[in-house]
Short mmCIF file of all heavy atoms in Angstrom, two decimals:
data_model
loop_
_atom_site.label_atom_id
_atom_site.label_comp_id
_atom_site.label_asym_id
_atom_site.label_seq_id
_atom_site.Cartn_x
_atom_site.Cartn_y
_atom_site.Cartn_z
N SER A 101 103.63 -199.75 -17.35
CA SER A 101 102.89 -198.48 -17.37
C SER A 101 103.55 -197.43 -16.50
O SER A 101 103.37 -196.23 -16.71
CB SER A 101 101.45 -198.71 -16.91
OG SER A 101 101.42 -199.34 -15.63
N SER A 102 104.34 -197.86 -15.51
CA SER A 102 105.09 -196.92 -14.68
C SER A 102 106.38 -197.59 -14.22
O SER A 102 106.43 -198.81 -14.05
CB SER A 102 104.27 -196.47 -13.46
OG SER A 102 103.95 -197.58 -12.65
N GLY A 103 107.43 -196.79 -14.08
CA GLY A 103 108.71 -197.34 -13.66
C GLY A 103 109.48 -197.95 -14.81
O GLY A 103 109.07 -197.87 -15.97
N GLY A 104 110.60 -198.57 -14.50
CA GLY A 104 111.44 -199.17 -15.52
C GLY A 104 111.30 -200.68 -15.58
O GLY A 104 110.64 -201.29 -14.75
N SER A 105 111.92 -201.26 -16.59
CA SER A 105 111.88 -202.71 -16.78
C SER A 105 113.22 -203.14 -17.35
O SER A 105 113.60 -202.70 -18.43
CB SER A 105 110.75 -203.11 -17.72
OG SER A 105 110.88 -204.46 -18.12
N LEU A 106 113.93 -204.00 -16.62
CA LEU A 106 115.24 -204.46 -17.07
C LEU A 106 115.13 -205.26 -18.36
O LEU A 106 115.93 -205.10 -19.29
CB LEU A 106 115.90 -205.32 -15.99
CG LEU A 106 117.28 -205.90 -16.33
CD1 LEU A 106 118.27 -204.78 -16.64
CD2 LEU A 106 117.79 -206.78 -15.18
N SER A 107 114.12 -206.13 -18.45
CA SER A 107 113.96 -206.97 -19.64
C SER A 107 113.65 -206.13 -20.87
O SER A 107 114.24 -206.31 -21.94
CB SER A 107 112.86 -208.02 -19.42
OG SER A 107 111.64 -207.39 -19.05
N HIS A 108 112.71 -205.19 -20.73
CA HIS A 108 112.37 -204.33 -21.87
C HIS A 108 113.56 -203.45 -22.24
O HIS A 108 113.88 -203.32 -23.43
CB HIS A 108 111.16 -203.45 -21.52
CG HIS A 108 110.84 -202.45 -22.59
ND1 HIS A 108 110.11 -202.77 -23.71
CD2 HIS A 108 111.18 -201.12 -22.73
CE1 HIS A 108 110.00 -201.70 -24.49
NE2 HIS A 108 110.64 -200.70 -23.92
N GLY A 109 114.21 -202.88 -21.23
CA GLY A 109 115.36 -202.02 -21.50
C GLY A 109 116.49 -202.76 -22.19
O GLY A 109 117.15 -202.22 -23.08
N SER A 110 116.70 -204.02 -21.81
CA SER A 110 117.76 -204.82 -22.41
C SER A 110 117.47 -205.11 -23.88
O SER A 110 118.36 -205.00 -24.73
CB SER A 110 117.93 -206.14 -21.64
OG SER A 110 118.28 -205.89 -20.29
N VAL A 111 116.22 -205.48 -24.16
CA VAL A 111 115.84 -205.76 -25.55
C VAL A 111 115.97 -204.50 -26.41
O VAL A 111 116.49 -204.54 -27.53
CB VAL A 111 114.41 -206.31 -25.62
CG1 VAL A 111 113.95 -206.43 -27.07
CG2 VAL A 111 114.31 -207.65 -24.92
N ALA A 112 115.51 -203.38 -25.87
CA ALA A 112 115.60 -202.12 -26.61
C ALA A 112 117.06 -201.72 -26.85
O ALA A 112 117.41 -201.25 -27.94
CB ALA A 112 114.88 -201.01 -25.84
N ALA A 113 117.92 -201.92 -25.85
CA ALA A 113 119.33 -201.58 -25.98
C ALA A 113 120.00 -202.43 -27.06
O ALA A 113 120.81 -201.93 -27.85
CB ALA A 113 120.04 -201.77 -24.64
N VAL A 114 119.67 -203.71 -27.09
CA VAL A 114 120.21 -204.59 -28.14
C VAL A 114 119.77 -204.11 -29.52
O VAL A 114 120.56 -204.06 -30.47
CB VAL A 114 119.76 -206.05 -27.91
CG1 VAL A 114 120.10 -206.91 -29.13
CG2 VAL A 114 120.43 -206.62 -26.67
N GLY A 115 118.49 -203.72 -29.61
CA GLY A 115 117.97 -203.22 -30.88
C GLY A 115 118.70 -201.98 -31.35
O GLY A 115 119.11 -201.88 -32.52
N PHE A 116 118.88 -201.01 -30.45
CA PHE A 116 119.61 -199.80 -30.79
C PHE A 116 121.02 -200.13 -31.28
O PHE A 116 121.52 -199.57 -32.26
CB PHE A 116 119.70 -198.86 -29.58
CG PHE A 116 118.53 -197.92 -29.45
CD1 PHE A 116 117.68 -198.00 -28.35
CD2 PHE A 116 118.27 -196.96 -30.40
CE1 PHE A 116 116.61 -197.15 -28.22
CE2 PHE A 116 117.20 -196.09 -30.28
CZ PHE A 116 116.36 -196.18 -29.19
N THR A 117 121.68 -201.05 -30.58
CA THR A 117 123.08 -201.37 -30.88
C THR A 117 123.24 -202.03 -32.24
O THR A 117 124.06 -201.61 -33.05
CB THR A 117 123.65 -202.29 -29.78
OG1 THR A 117 123.55 -201.63 -28.51
CG2 THR A 117 125.11 -202.60 -30.06
N VAL A 118 122.46 -203.08 -32.49
CA VAL A 118 122.63 -203.82 -33.75
C VAL A 118 122.17 -202.99 -34.95
O VAL A 118 122.77 -203.08 -36.04
CB VAL A 118 121.92 -205.19 -33.71
CG1 VAL A 118 122.57 -206.09 -32.68
CG2 VAL A 118 120.43 -205.04 -33.45
N LEU A 119 121.14 -202.17 -34.77
CA LEU A 119 120.67 -201.35 -35.88
C LEU A 119 121.63 -200.20 -36.17
O LEU A 119 121.68 -199.69 -37.30
CB LEU A 119 119.27 -200.81 -35.60
CG LEU A 119 118.15 -201.86 -35.68
CD1 LEU A 119 116.81 -201.25 -35.29
CD2 LEU A 119 118.06 -202.46 -37.09
N ALA A 120 122.39 -199.78 -35.16
CA ALA A 120 123.44 -198.78 -35.39
C ALA A 120 124.65 -199.40 -36.06
O ALA A 120 125.32 -198.77 -36.88
CB ALA A 120 123.84 -198.12 -34.08
N ALA A 121 124.93 -200.66 -35.73
CA ALA A 121 126.13 -201.32 -36.25
C ALA A 121 125.97 -201.90 -37.64
O ALA A 121 126.95 -202.04 -38.38
CB ALA A 121 126.56 -202.42 -35.28
N TRP A 122 124.74 -202.24 -38.05
CA TRP A 122 124.57 -203.00 -39.28
C TRP A 122 125.08 -202.29 -40.53
O TRP A 122 125.63 -202.97 -41.42
CB TRP A 122 123.11 -203.45 -39.44
CG TRP A 122 122.22 -202.53 -40.23
CD1 TRP A 122 121.39 -201.57 -39.75
CD2 TRP A 122 122.06 -202.51 -41.66
NE1 TRP A 122 120.74 -200.94 -40.77
CE2 TRP A 122 121.13 -201.50 -41.96
CE3 TRP A 122 122.62 -203.24 -42.71
CZ2 TRP A 122 120.73 -201.19 -43.25
CZ3 TRP A 122 122.23 -202.93 -44.02
CH2 TRP A 122 121.31 -201.92 -44.28
N PRO A 123 124.95 -200.95 -40.68
CA PRO A 123 125.47 -200.34 -41.91
C PRO A 123 126.97 -200.59 -42.10
O PRO A 123 127.41 -200.93 -43.21
CB PRO A 123 125.17 -198.85 -41.72
CG PRO A 123 124.01 -198.81 -40.78
CD PRO A 123 124.26 -199.95 -39.83
N LEU A 124 127.73 -200.43 -41.04
CA LEU A 124 129.18 -200.64 -41.14
C LEU A 124 129.49 -202.11 -41.38
O LEU A 124 130.39 -202.45 -42.17
CB LEU A 124 129.86 -200.15 -39.87
CG LEU A 124 131.40 -200.11 -39.89
CD1 LEU A 124 131.90 -199.22 -41.02
CD2 LEU A 124 131.92 -199.59 -38.56
N LEU A 125 128.78 -202.99 -40.73
CA LEU A 125 129.00 -204.43 -40.90
C LEU A 125 128.59 -204.91 -42.29
O LEU A 125 129.07 -205.95 -42.76
CB LEU A 125 128.22 -205.21 -39.84
CG LEU A 125 128.66 -205.00 -38.38
CD1 LEU A 125 127.71 -205.73 -37.44
CD2 LEU A 125 130.08 -205.48 -38.18
N ALA A 126 127.68 -204.19 -42.94
CA ALA A 126 127.18 -204.58 -44.26
C ALA A 126 128.03 -204.03 -45.40
O ALA A 126 127.79 -204.37 -46.56
CB ALA A 126 125.74 -204.12 -44.43
N ALA A 127 129.00 -203.19 -45.09
CA ALA A 127 129.76 -202.47 -46.12
C ALA A 127 130.52 -203.40 -47.05
O ALA A 127 130.99 -204.47 -46.64
CB ALA A 127 130.73 -201.49 -45.46
N ARG A 128 130.63 -202.97 -48.30
CA ARG A 128 131.38 -203.67 -49.32
C ARG A 128 132.40 -202.71 -49.94
O ARG A 128 132.14 -201.52 -50.05
CB ARG A 128 130.46 -204.19 -50.43
CG ARG A 128 129.48 -205.27 -50.02
CD ARG A 128 130.16 -206.61 -49.93
NE ARG A 128 129.19 -207.71 -49.86
CZ ARG A 128 129.53 -208.97 -49.73
NH1 ARG A 128 130.80 -209.31 -49.67
NH2 ARG A 128 128.60 -209.91 -49.66
N THR A 129 133.53 -203.23 -50.35
CA THR A 129 134.52 -202.41 -51.04
C THR A 129 134.47 -202.70 -52.54
O THR A 129 133.87 -203.68 -52.97
CB THR A 129 135.94 -202.71 -50.51
OG1 THR A 129 136.20 -204.12 -50.66
CG2 THR A 129 136.06 -202.35 -49.04
N GLY A 130 135.09 -201.83 -53.31
CA GLY A 130 135.12 -202.02 -54.76
C GLY A 130 134.20 -201.06 -55.48
O GLY A 130 133.21 -200.58 -54.91
N ASP A 131 134.51 -200.79 -56.74
CA ASP A 131 133.73 -199.85 -57.54
C ASP A 131 132.32 -200.36 -57.82
O ASP A 131 131.41 -199.57 -58.10
CB ASP A 131 134.45 -199.58 -58.87
CG ASP A 131 135.78 -198.87 -58.67
OD1 ASP A 131 135.93 -198.20 -57.63
OD2 ASP A 131 136.66 -198.99 -59.54
N ALA A 132 132.13 -201.67 -57.81
CA ALA A 132 130.82 -202.23 -58.11
C ALA A 132 129.84 -202.14 -56.94
O ALA A 132 128.64 -202.37 -57.11
CB ALA A 132 130.96 -203.70 -58.53
N ALA A 133 130.33 -201.81 -55.76
CA ALA A 133 129.47 -201.74 -54.58
C ALA A 133 128.48 -200.59 -54.70
O ALA A 133 128.86 -199.48 -55.09
CB ALA A 133 130.31 -201.57 -53.32
N PRO A 134 127.21 -200.81 -54.40
CA PRO A 134 126.23 -199.71 -54.40
C PRO A 134 126.64 -198.63 -53.39
O PRO A 134 127.29 -198.93 -52.39
CB PRO A 134 124.93 -200.40 -53.96
CG PRO A 134 125.13 -201.84 -54.27
CD PRO A 134 126.59 -202.10 -54.06
N TRP A 135 126.22 -197.41 -53.65
CA TRP A 135 126.63 -196.29 -52.80
C TRP A 135 126.30 -196.56 -51.34
O TRP A 135 127.11 -196.31 -50.45
CB TRP A 135 125.92 -195.01 -53.26
CG TRP A 135 126.23 -193.84 -52.38
CD1 TRP A 135 127.30 -193.00 -52.47
CD2 TRP A 135 125.47 -193.39 -51.25
NE1 TRP A 135 127.26 -192.06 -51.47
CE2 TRP A 135 126.14 -192.27 -50.71
CE3 TRP A 135 124.29 -193.83 -50.63
CZ2 TRP A 135 125.68 -191.59 -49.59
CZ3 TRP A 135 123.83 -193.16 -49.53
CH2 TRP A 135 124.50 -192.05 -49.01
N GLY A 136 125.12 -197.07 -51.04
CA GLY A 136 124.69 -197.29 -49.67
C GLY A 136 125.46 -198.35 -48.93
O GLY A 136 125.33 -198.47 -47.70
N LEU A 137 126.25 -199.15 -49.67
CA LEU A 137 127.04 -200.20 -49.04
C LEU A 137 128.53 -199.90 -49.07
O LEU A 137 129.33 -200.75 -48.68
CB LEU A 137 126.77 -201.55 -49.73
CG LEU A 137 125.37 -202.14 -49.49
CD1 LEU A 137 125.18 -203.39 -50.34
CD2 LEU A 137 125.15 -202.46 -48.02
N ARG A 138 128.91 -198.74 -49.54
CA ARG A 138 130.32 -198.37 -49.56
C ARG A 138 130.78 -197.99 -48.16
O ARG A 138 129.98 -197.54 -47.32
CB ARG A 138 130.56 -197.23 -50.55
CG ARG A 138 130.35 -197.67 -52.00
CD ARG A 138 130.55 -196.56 -52.98
NE ARG A 138 130.28 -197.03 -54.34
CZ ARG A 138 130.30 -196.25 -55.41
NH1 ARG A 138 130.57 -194.94 -55.27
NH2 ARG A 138 130.04 -196.76 -56.60
N PRO A 139 132.07 -198.14 -47.88
CA PRO A 139 132.56 -197.94 -46.50
C PRO A 139 132.27 -196.56 -45.92
O PRO A 139 131.86 -196.46 -44.75
CB PRO A 139 134.07 -198.17 -46.64
CG PRO A 139 134.18 -199.12 -47.80
CD PRO A 139 133.10 -198.71 -48.76
N LEU A 140 132.47 -195.49 -46.69
CA LEU A 140 132.30 -194.15 -46.13
C LEU A 140 130.85 -193.84 -45.76
O LEU A 140 130.58 -193.44 -44.61
CB LEU A 140 132.85 -193.10 -47.11
CG LEU A 140 132.89 -191.66 -46.57
CD1 LEU A 140 133.74 -191.59 -45.31
CD2 LEU A 140 133.45 -190.72 -47.64
N PRO A 141 129.88 -194.02 -46.67
CA PRO A 141 128.49 -193.78 -46.25
C PRO A 141 128.04 -194.72 -45.13
O PRO A 141 127.30 -194.30 -44.23
CB PRO A 141 127.69 -194.05 -47.54
CG PRO A 141 128.66 -193.88 -48.64
CD PRO A 141 129.97 -194.33 -48.11
N SER A 142 128.51 -195.96 -45.18
CA SER A 142 128.12 -196.92 -44.14
C SER A 142 128.66 -196.50 -42.77
O SER A 142 127.95 -196.54 -41.77
CB SER A 142 128.64 -198.31 -44.50
OG SER A 142 128.08 -198.76 -45.71
N ALA A 143 129.94 -196.09 -42.75
CA ALA A 143 130.52 -195.63 -41.49
C ALA A 143 129.85 -194.36 -41.00
O ALA A 143 129.63 -194.18 -39.80
CB ALA A 143 132.02 -195.39 -41.67
N GLY A 144 129.49 -193.48 -41.94
CA GLY A 144 128.79 -192.25 -41.56
C GLY A 144 127.44 -192.54 -40.94
O GLY A 144 127.05 -191.94 -39.94
N ALA A 145 126.70 -193.49 -41.56
CA ALA A 145 125.38 -193.85 -41.02
C ALA A 145 125.51 -194.44 -39.62
O ALA A 145 124.75 -194.08 -38.70
CB ALA A 145 124.69 -194.84 -41.95
N THR A 146 126.47 -195.35 -39.45
CA THR A 146 126.68 -195.94 -38.13
C THR A 146 127.07 -194.88 -37.11
O THR A 146 126.58 -194.89 -35.97
CB THR A 146 127.77 -197.03 -38.21
OG1 THR A 146 127.26 -198.15 -38.93
CG2 THR A 146 128.19 -197.49 -36.81
N GLY A 147 127.94 -193.95 -37.51
CA GLY A 147 128.37 -192.89 -36.59
C GLY A 147 127.22 -192.01 -36.15
O GLY A 147 127.08 -191.69 -34.96
N VAL A 148 126.38 -191.61 -37.10
CA VAL A 148 125.24 -190.74 -36.76
C VAL A 148 124.25 -191.48 -35.87
O VAL A 148 123.72 -190.91 -34.91
CB VAL A 148 124.55 -190.25 -38.05
CG1 VAL A 148 123.25 -189.52 -37.72
CG2 VAL A 148 125.47 -189.33 -38.84
N MET A 149 124.00 -192.76 -36.18
CA MET A 149 123.08 -193.54 -35.35
C MET A 149 123.63 -193.72 -33.93
O MET A 149 122.87 -193.67 -32.95
CB MET A 149 122.84 -194.91 -35.98
CG MET A 149 122.03 -194.87 -37.26
SD MET A 149 121.84 -196.52 -37.97
CE MET A 149 121.30 -196.14 -39.63
N ALA A 150 124.94 -193.94 -33.83
CA ALA A 150 125.55 -194.10 -32.50
C ALA A 150 125.45 -192.80 -31.71
O ALA A 150 125.15 -192.82 -30.50
CB ALA A 150 127.01 -194.52 -32.64
N LEU A 151 125.68 -191.68 -32.37
CA LEU A 151 125.54 -190.38 -31.69
C LEU A 151 124.09 -190.15 -31.26
O LEU A 151 123.83 -189.63 -30.17
CB LEU A 151 126.00 -189.26 -32.62
CG LEU A 151 127.51 -189.14 -32.85
CD1 LEU A 151 127.80 -188.07 -33.90
CD2 LEU A 151 128.23 -188.81 -31.55
N GLY A 152 123.16 -190.53 -32.13
CA GLY A 152 121.74 -190.39 -31.79
C GLY A 152 121.36 -191.23 -30.59
O GLY A 152 120.60 -190.79 -29.72
N ALA A 153 121.89 -192.46 -30.54
CA ALA A 153 121.60 -193.34 -29.40
C ALA A 153 122.19 -192.76 -28.12
O ALA A 153 121.57 -192.81 -27.05
CB ALA A 153 122.17 -194.73 -29.66
N ALA A 154 123.39 -192.17 -28.22
CA ALA A 154 124.02 -191.55 -27.05
C ALA A 154 123.20 -190.34 -26.59
O ALA A 154 123.01 -190.13 -25.37
CB ALA A 154 125.45 -191.12 -27.40
N TRP A 155 122.71 -189.56 -27.54
CA TRP A 155 121.86 -188.42 -27.21
C TRP A 155 120.60 -188.89 -26.49
O TRP A 155 120.19 -188.29 -25.48
CB TRP A 155 121.49 -187.68 -28.50
CG TRP A 155 120.51 -186.56 -28.34
CD1 TRP A 155 120.39 -185.70 -27.28
CD2 TRP A 155 119.48 -186.18 -29.26
NE1 TRP A 155 119.35 -184.82 -27.49
CE2 TRP A 155 118.79 -185.08 -28.69
CE3 TRP A 155 119.10 -186.66 -30.52
CZ2 TRP A 155 117.72 -184.46 -29.34
CZ3 TRP A 155 118.04 -186.04 -31.17
CH2 TRP A 155 117.36 -184.94 -30.58
N PHE A 156 120.01 -189.96 -26.98
CA PHE A 156 118.81 -190.50 -26.34
C PHE A 156 119.09 -190.93 -24.90
O PHE A 156 118.31 -190.62 -23.98
CB PHE A 156 118.29 -191.69 -27.15
CG PHE A 156 117.23 -192.49 -26.44
CD1 PHE A 156 116.01 -191.93 -26.09
CD2 PHE A 156 117.46 -193.81 -26.11
CE1 PHE A 156 115.04 -192.67 -25.43
CE2 PHE A 156 116.50 -194.57 -25.46
CZ PHE A 156 115.28 -194.00 -25.11
N LEU A 157 120.21 -191.61 -24.68
CA LEU A 157 120.55 -192.07 -23.33
C LEU A 157 120.78 -190.89 -22.38
O LEU A 157 120.38 -190.92 -21.21
CB LEU A 157 121.80 -192.95 -23.37
CG LEU A 157 121.61 -194.33 -24.02
CD1 LEU A 157 122.95 -195.05 -24.11
CD2 LEU A 157 120.61 -195.17 -23.23
N ILE A 158 121.42 -189.84 -22.90
CA ILE A 158 121.66 -188.64 -22.08
C ILE A 158 120.34 -187.99 -21.70
O ILE A 158 120.12 -187.63 -20.54
CB ILE A 158 122.56 -187.65 -22.84
CG1 ILE A 158 123.98 -188.21 -22.98
CG2 ILE A 158 122.61 -186.30 -22.12
CD1 ILE A 158 124.87 -187.41 -23.90
N GLU A 159 119.46 -187.81 -22.68
CA GLU A 159 118.15 -187.20 -22.41
C GLU A 159 117.33 -188.05 -21.46
O GLU A 159 116.61 -187.53 -20.59
CB GLU A 159 117.39 -186.99 -23.73
CG GLU A 159 118.02 -186.00 -24.69
CD GLU A 159 117.98 -184.57 -24.17
OE1 GLU A 159 117.22 -184.29 -23.22
OE2 GLU A 159 118.72 -183.73 -24.71
N LEU A 160 117.43 -189.38 -21.61
CA LEU A 160 116.69 -190.29 -20.74
C LEU A 160 117.19 -190.18 -19.32
O LEU A 160 116.40 -190.14 -18.36
CB LEU A 160 116.84 -191.72 -21.25
CG LEU A 160 115.91 -192.78 -20.65
CD1 LEU A 160 114.45 -192.46 -20.99
CD2 LEU A 160 116.27 -194.16 -21.18
N HIS A 161 118.52 -190.10 -19.16
CA HIS A 161 119.11 -189.99 -17.83
C HIS A 161 118.77 -188.66 -17.17
O HIS A 161 118.53 -188.60 -15.95
CB HIS A 161 120.63 -190.16 -17.93
CG HIS A 161 121.34 -190.05 -16.62
ND1 HIS A 161 121.25 -191.01 -15.63
CD2 HIS A 161 122.15 -189.07 -16.11
CE1 HIS A 161 121.96 -190.64 -14.58
NE2 HIS A 161 122.51 -189.46 -14.85
N GLN A 162 118.74 -187.59 -17.96
CA GLN A 162 118.47 -186.25 -17.43
C GLN A 162 116.98 -185.92 -17.39
O GLN A 162 116.61 -184.82 -17.00
CB GLN A 162 119.21 -185.21 -18.26
CG GLN A 162 120.73 -185.33 -18.18
CD GLN A 162 121.43 -184.27 -19.00
OE1 GLN A 162 120.83 -183.60 -19.84
NE2 GLN A 162 122.72 -184.09 -18.75
N ARG A 163 116.16 -186.89 -17.86
CA ARG A 163 114.71 -186.68 -17.93
C ARG A 163 114.37 -185.46 -18.77
O ARG A 163 113.53 -184.64 -18.40
CB ARG A 163 114.11 -186.55 -16.53
CG ARG A 163 114.40 -187.78 -15.68
CD ARG A 163 113.59 -187.80 -14.43
NE ARG A 163 113.87 -188.99 -13.66
CZ ARG A 163 113.00 -189.60 -12.88
NH1 ARG A 163 111.77 -189.14 -12.79
NH2 ARG A 163 113.32 -190.68 -12.20
#
Side-chain angles (χ1 to χ4, degrees):
S101 55
S102 61
S105 168
L106 179 59
S107 56
H108 175 82
S110 299
V111 173
V114 169
F116 272 116
T117 301
V118 294
L119 288 176
W122 92 264
L124 189 58
L125 295 174
R128 294 282 194 182
T129 56
D131 295 336
W135 177 85
L137 291 174
R138 292 179 183 176
L140 187 58
S142 298
T146 290
V148 172
M149 291 178 195
L151 287 174
W155 174 35
F156 168 62
L157 290 175
I158 291 171
E159 295 292 344
L160 192 63
H161 179 70
Q162 295 181 345
R163 303 192 179 211

